[in-house]
Amino acid sequence: MNTITRNLPEARFPGQLVDRFQRRVDYLRLSVTDRCDFRCVYCMAEDMTFLPRREVLSLEELFEVARVFTELGVGKIRLTGGEPLVRRGIVDLVQRLGQLSGLRELALTTNGSQLAKLAPALREAGVTSVNISLDTLNPTRFRELTRTGDLDTVQRGIEAAVAAGFRRIKLNAVILRGRNDDEVLTLVRYARGLGIDIAFIEEMPLGQIIEHDRSLSLADSDSLRRQIDAVFPLSSEGDPRGSAGPARYFRMHDSPSRVGFISPHSNNFCHLCNRVRLTVSGRLLLCLGNEHSVDLRAVLRQQGYRSEHLAAAIIAAMDIKPERHHFGEDGATEIVRFMNMTGG
Ligand code: SAM
Ligand code: SF4
């Protein structure tokens, strides 16, 4: 038993985080910034206000949270944001996280804009897998969807990531009907050409956006799957429990690349949920689609802080993890936080 849980009478399952529905939480998504160099239309408003510095966890505080989570049995951490690679000092943080015993997977979700420069250093520092967002291979559309991004820079970043030799690289594409749903096969071919995975994500109702009507833009996973299957027959990998998360993955017989679908609308995966999220302001979110949360920044900044305080707050938080989200249901409230605040 480690030093933290030994001192905690509250720990019902020493060394493990288990919620009221007997789900074991062993995965933390850690947002390291709310800022970003892009303004993707489904994620942010064009004119965003970001958090003042005093409200943002320092690199030291982020490391402390990560360390305590690993002592409580969390074996996978994903760094996200905002754009994690625009946070100053990110490579140093990764280096420290990479040395945490107990961490078997250190993953990163990025828009790829800084990867051409940083991929080798991140690999060296201990990042094992990288998700790179890519919704289109058309430069004009790329600029429209990201508002500020440059496709060529991101493609060079993707190539640098492939060359750096991460254990796993996956492209993430949010597909919007009438915007980029005609590129599904082009994106699959691109992933196949690089020998990497690709997942298609249904847009989630996070944050109020005015750029498009979400109910009109939803491209559901089943129709995308049928479209791909007609050209590249797909065979299911089965239960998502064995894969990296809520995505359902499929194999193609003539390629190492896998195709995944992340479908909060058409496929409820809450019963398999093994994750929690920490916003960069230190709010521990127990569910992507609910507001249940605990303020860990207040714990970290209290007088006389000790790691045991944080561990106790995290263990207690398991009791308020909701059973499920209600995306897409009539009368369901929209979550008002933006994805960049949530830690996507
Ligand atoms: N900036 C990084 C990136 O874009 O990969 C990491 C953070 S971003 C919030 C994480 C992922 O969330 C991206 O793949 C993005 O496409 C996705 N995302 C953002 N807003 C979304 C929404 N409303 N619905 C579904 N996915 C969304
Ligand atoms: Fe930035 Fe990622 Fe949100 Fe796009 S999806 S605006 S890259 S945080």
Side-chain angles (χ1 to χ4, degrees):
M1 201 185 300
N2 59 46
T3 46
I4 287 179
T5 49
R6 194 174 47 232
N7 298 327
L8 284 173
E10 299 92 332
R12 281 174 302 178
F13 302 90
Q16 290 193 1
L17 296 172
V18 179
D19 77 357
R20 290 172 298 154
F21 307 99
Q22 302 309 312
R23 293 172 299 192
R24 168 140 189 240
V25 171
D26 59 5
Y27 177 15
L28 171 67
R29 295 174 76 104
L30 187 62
S31 178
V32 299
T33 181
D34 63 330
R35 288 164 197 258
C36 187
D37 49 346
F38 291 3
R39 295 284 182 279
C40 301
V41 295
Y42 45 74
C43 177
M44 289 196 187
E46 193 156 15
D47 183 20
M48 290 288 287
T49 309
F50 296 107
L51 292 168
R53 182 175 293 214
R54 65 179 181 284
E55 290 184 22
V56 169
L57 296 188
S58 66
L59 294 178
E60 197 51 52
E61 288 170 325
L62 288 166
F63 178 74
E64 170 70 358
V65 174
R67 189 183 68 73
V68 169
F69 264 102
T70 59
E71 292 219 357
L72 292 170
V74 164
K76 176 174 176 183
I77 294 179
R78 175 174 300 282
L79 303 177
T80 180
E83 173 47 42
L85 300 185
V86 303
R87 173 94 196 230
R88 209 175 301 149
I90 186 68
V91 177
D92 295 341
L93 176 66
V94 168
Q95 244 153 14
R96 294 184 70 194
L97 295 173
Q99 282 161 26
L100 285 174
S101 62
L103 200 60
R104 56 185 159 70
E105 199 174 341
L106 181 54
L108 172 76
T109 300
T110 173
N111 65 21
S113 69
Q114 312 299 313
L115 272 182
K117 190 165 74 211
L118 294 181
L122 292 165
R123 179 72 194 103
E124 179 81 2
V127 171
T128 52
S129 57
V130 183
N131 288 354
I132 308 166
S133 301
L134 181 74
D135 304 330
T136 173
L137 286 162
N138 173 320
T140 310
R141 264 192 200 170
F142 189 87
R143 175 54 69 103
E144 280 165 14
L145 286 170
T146 61
R147 293 197 183 105
T148 60
D150 174 55
L151 176 62
D152 185 54
T153 308
V154 169
Q155 284 191 276
R156 280 189 285 114
I158 294 169
E159 286 156 22
V162 172
F166 293 99
R167 206 186 288 163
R168 182 175 183 222
I169 301 176
K170 173 164 71 87
L171 300 177
N172 275 339
V174 175
I175 301 296
L176 307 174
R177 206 182 329 143
R179 295 293 282 266
N180 61 346
D181 55 345
D182 57 341
E183 284 193 70
V184 169
L185 284 170
T186 315
L187 288 163
V188 171
R189 286 195 183 97
Y190 179 69
R192 285 167 55 100
L194 293 169
I196 61 182
D197 294 346
I198 182 161
F200 294 96
I201 309 177
E202 287 178 357
E203 185 183 19
M204 289 175 246
L206 295 174
Q208 282 158 341
I209 52 164
I210 49 167
E211 204 263 352
H212 59 271
D213 179 342
R214 285 190 156 127
S215 60
L216 297 180
S217 66
L218 182 67
D220 78 284
S221 292
D222 283 342
S223 69
L224 303 186
R225 186 171 49 77
R226 281 194 297 274
Q227 200 183 325
I228 299 166
D229 187 59
V231 179
F232 302 113
L234 298 173
S235 47
S236 171
E237 286 209 325
D239 187 343
R241 196 182 289 273
S243 73
R248 287 174 301 152
Y249 278 96
F250 294 80
R251 287 202 173 272
M252 297 172 280
H253 69 85
D254 58 348
S255 166
S257 298
R258 299 186 307 159
V259 181
F261 300 93
I262 302 175
S263 2
H265 291 270
S266 49
N267 176 35
N268 189 297
F269 44 76
C270 298
H271 62 293
L272 298 176
C273 185
N274 64 342
R275 63 201 59 196
V276 290
R277 295 174 162 77
L278 188 79
T279 72
V280 75
S281 61
R283 193 171 156 213
L284 181 66
L285 292 167
L286 283 312
C287 171
L288 182 60
N290 284 283
E291 296 290 356
H292 302 61
S293 69
V294 172
D295 181 4
L296 295 187
R297 188 183 64 199
V299 179
L300 283 161
R301 294 185 183 175
Q302 77 192 22
Q303 276 218 326
Y305 167 78
R306 295 206 323 268
S307 298
E308 288 84 346
H309 301 145
L310 190 63
I314 294 168
I315 291 168
M318 293 302 114
D319 276 349
I320 59 163
K321 186 168 165 61
E323 188 171 11
R324 56 182 295 246
H325 68 69
H326 298 277
F327 290 145
E329 292 178 11
D330 284 348
T333 44
E334 276 218 344
I335 296 291
V336 291
R337 51 185 147 79
F338 284 98
M339 195 63 143
N340 71 308
M341 282 303 301
T342 301

